[in-house]
Amino acid sequence: GIEIPNSGGNSQFSVTSNYAWEITQGLSWVETNIDHGYGNTNVYINVATQAYDERSGEIIIQTVDGSKSAIVTIRQFGNSITISQQTLTISADDTGSKTIQVESTDAWTSEMI
């Protein structure tokens, strides 16, 4: 399958065939540069930005007569945030520094209470 970050992007896959073929897919968030062909071809895809949860779907390539088919799975990651330490306690006489590492695919904020 093909994996795409939540920010969207481009990828490709190859079709190897000695038949006329067509692409069928109902993924509103994936565009292909072609939808049919004959013989060996590179198919380029463009995936839109994903602002929410992970999503996945299938692109089906099949011969025009329907006798042969192949599936390409597209998976796009959703927003995520990873925090190395969720609770940090600092005493009043603590003069050192503390580090919290945050990795996120979306904007985030912090608050000291």
Side-chain angles (χ1 to χ4, degrees), residues 4-83:
I4 302 289
N6 73 314
S7 59
N10 301 306
S11 191
Q12 71 176 27
F13 59 89
S14 298
V15 175
T16 304
S17 175
N18 57 358
Y19 290 95
W21 51 267
E22 59 190 1
I23 293 175
T24 58
Q25 58 102 352
L27 306 175
S28 62
W29 46 278
V30 176
E31 294 178 3
T32 59
N33 67 319
I34 56 176
D35 60 4
H36 64 280
Y38 182 87
N40 303 340
T41 307
N42 286 330
V43 177
Y44 298 91
I45 65 168
N46 182 27
V47 178
T49 299
Q50 164 63 341
Y52 304 105
D53 295 330
E54 180 179 309
R55 58 186 173 183
S56 64
E58 297 176 340
I59 294 176
I60 300 170
I61 302 97
Q62 65 183 13
T63 56
V64 173
D65 68 3
S67 63
K68 305 282 183 193
S69 66
I71 296 173
V72 176
T73 302
I74 310 292
R75 176 181 173 215
Q76 187 175 26
F77 300 104
N79 289 336
S80 66
I81 186 166
T82 303
I83 302 172

